[in-house]
Amino acid sequence: MRILLVDNSKGWGGAEEMLFSLATGLRNRGHYVVMFLDEGSETVTKFVRADFNVWAFQRKSFRLLQSIIKMIRIARNEKFDLVHVHRNHDLLVGKIVGYFSGKLPLVLTQHCRLCKSTFFVINLPDRIAAVSKYIADGMTERFLKLDSKINVVHNGIDPTEFEHLHEDFWCRWSELIGKGPLLGVVGYFYKNQEELIELLPFIKDEFPDVMLLIIGRDDSKRKFLEKKAEQLGVAESVLFTGSIPHAEMKHALAGLDLNLSAFRREGFGLSVLEGLAAGTPFLGYRSGGYPEIIEQGENGYLKDTFAELLQEILSLLKDKDRYSKMREQAKKSVSNKFTIDNMITNYENIYKSTN
């Protein structure tokens, strides 16, 4: 098939990592893939480096109309079979480009819960892939008529990439010499990292050398988190690692004792999958897409309250036998269920269903 993938994200997170895996997998299976991306974005740089056919467009003010006209011209020449957008706010552009390029089918991947969206816009795609049942349920709760269009397609990983890990990854960080246990959280800083900082005073009572590693970069909210740590007297127990290249992330996750999150609206959680594949148990709240990944007591724990989450973190860290077994089980829990191959096959089936 000749597939046009559209994404106007400027940054790079789990959704972009999934898009990269999908595009690579489709190309490896013989599909012709072209990317329409936002000019000046990190996605352009990374897809160009991977030798994809990339077109970059400006999306602001009157430039948007010029970009759409150019998109239509390119799409007509390329004779695509379908358009696949990866943000619901790309739907209108995707529909216009597809319609004037031969009334092409439109597919949407929805990575997060719907915020502001009208039924007119969200009903534009012919098929919708929700990355979790949590996302799918949120869409049908607002717009019941979408139910017949939605398929749940979980994100996937390549288990073979997690076979040779450097669990000593954090040993090269001078700030962490003699420290432990190492607790980590991955993601943009709007994901309630402050609540994990609030856990630290209680954890330090039992583990004085504990460290919370906040992995990622978000300059807009870092000062808020730093102030929170200072107010609670745990600033020396929080390390902002900055962004870690994805090629190294598996080693970083393997070097953690626990992968944590206090976010309650996670669409799915690719870093959770990657952490499990690296053998690192996950603990968080029973919400969002996490219950579709975590097998309670096998590869992690999901709790309902702050107190319950704190208690389970302490309990697991103290029980060395249970912890060791959970690290082994974590790897097994994702090796077959959440694979890139399964994900790509599911998308191919969705593409076929649009014809």
Side-chain angles (χ1 to χ4, degrees):
M1 298 184 75
R2 301 176 69 84
I3 301 165
L4 171 59
L5 298 179
V6 180
D7 182 72
N8 73 356
S9 174
K10 288 189 175 297
W12 191 273
E16 288 68 46
E17 205 59 57
M18 169 270 167
L19 175 59
F20 188 84
S21 295
L22 175 63
T24 302
L26 290 170
R27 183 171 65 177
N28 290 343
R29 292 192 182 188
H31 298 284
Y32 178 70
V33 178
V34 174
M35 317 294 302
F36 280 6
L37 304 174
D38 196 41
E39 186 174 272
S41 67
E42 193 173 349
T43 54
V44 171
T45 302
K46 293 196 175 186
F47 277 98
V48 168
R49 284 177 182 170
D51 202 28
F52 279 95
N53 188 348
V54 174
W55 292 88
F57 300 94
Q58 294 186 17
R59 303 290 189 99
K60 293 183 178 179
S61 63
F62 71 94
R63 296 283 187 184
L64 177 59
L65 179 58
Q66 293 178 336
S67 293
I68 291 175
I69 293 171
K70 185 177 179 181
M71 288 178 190
I72 293 171
R73 185 170 66 250
I74 295 169
R76 284 177 174 175
N77 291 336
E78 292 284 5
K79 294 181 169 49
F80 293 116
D81 294 303
L82 61 87
V83 179
H84 184 175
V85 301
H86 287 263
R87 290 285 190 278
N88 58 291
H89 43 254
D90 283 329
L91 279 172
L92 194 55
V93 170
K95 188 67 175 181
I96 293 171
V97 172
Y99 183 84
F100 288 102
S101 304
K103 297 183 179 179
L104 303 179
L106 180 63
V107 175
L108 164 69
T109 292
Q110 188 64 24
H111 296 272
C112 57
R113 295 280 273 200
L114 287 177
C115 293
K116 295 179 180 179
S117 187
T118 65
F119 180 71
F120 169 76
V121 173
I122 203 64
N123 194 45
L124 289 175
D126 298 282
R127 302 293 294 176
I128 300 172
V131 299
S132 64
K133 186 176 182 296
Y134 165 71
I135 297 299
D137 288 347
M139 297 181 80
T140 54
E141 283 170 9
R142 288 188 59 187
F143 306 111
L144 183 60
K145 290 184 178 180
L146 294 178
D147 186 62
S148 62
K149 293 186 174 187
I150 298 177
N151 288 81
V152 174
V153 181
H154 290 134
N155 295 338
I157 59 171
D158 181 356
T160 63
E161 293 184 359
F162 294 81
E163 292 176 353
H164 305 288
L165 300 171
H166 306 306
E167 295 185 6
D168 60 350
F169 177 87
W170 297 106
C171 292
R172 67 187 185 188
W173 294 63
S174 60
E175 304 95 327
L176 299 176
I177 294 175
K179 299 293 186 178
L182 303 183
L183 313 179
V185 55
V186 181
Y188 290 111
F189 294 177
Y190 66 81
K191 293 190 174 184
N192 201 26
Q193 282 87 342
E194 57 266 32
E195 192 165 327
L196 297 180
I197 294 174
E198 291 168 2
L199 288 169
L200 278 178
F202 303 100
I203 299 175
K204 280 176 67 68
D205 287 341
E206 303 287 340
F207 299 94
D209 295 320
V210 67
M211 291 293 294
L212 176 64
L213 311 187
I214 299 181
I215 302 171
R217 181 175 179 178
D218 189 342
D219 294 337
S220 65
K221 203 174 180 186
R222 175 168 172 167
K223 288 184 179 180
F224 166 76
L225 295 177
E226 288 176 332
K227 185 177 180 180
K228 169 71 72 172
E230 290 173 3
Q231 290 172 339
L232 294 173
V234 295
E236 76 285 354
S237 298
V238 178
L239 177 63
F240 292 87
T241 71
S243 298
I244 293 176
H246 189 256
E248 298 181 29
M249 184 61 77
K250 58 188 176 183
H251 306 300
L253 290 167
L256 297 174
D257 292 291
L258 293 176
N259 187 12
L260 305 178
S261 176
F263 194 44
R264 292 171 173 81
R265 301 187 305 279
E266 187 65 63
F268 184 62
L270 185 60
S271 65
V272 177
L273 273 191
E274 293 175 332
L276 295 176
T280 302
F282 175 81
L283 281 80
Y285 287 120
R286 199 188 325 269
S287 61
Y290 295 145
E292 298 170 53
I293 304 173
I294 299 305
E295 300 169 14
Q296 196 79 336
E298 295 294 324
N299 57 7
Y301 290 97
L302 300 178
K303 297 297 177 177
D304 297 313
T305 68
F306 180 94
E308 290 175 350
L309 182 58
L310 171 63
Q311 181 180 9
E312 197 59 65
I313 291 171
L314 294 173
S315 175
L316 184 57
L317 290 174
K318 291 177 182 178
D319 192 336
K320 299 300 182 183
D321 288 339
R322 178 160 60 104
Y323 174 76
S324 296
K325 291 177 182 177
M326 187 168 286
R327 285 194 74 98
E328 288 303 314
Q329 185 58 36
K331 297 176 184 178
K332 297 176 183 177
S333 68
V334 299
S335 59
N336 295 317
K337 186 176 180 181
F338 299 105
T339 67
I340 287 177
D341 279 345
N342 288 344
M343 180 185 78
I344 294 168
T345 296
N346 287 332
Y347 273 105
E348 286 180 321
N349 290 335
I350 288 176
Y351 294 162
K352 292 173 185 176
S353 72
T354 63
N355 295 328

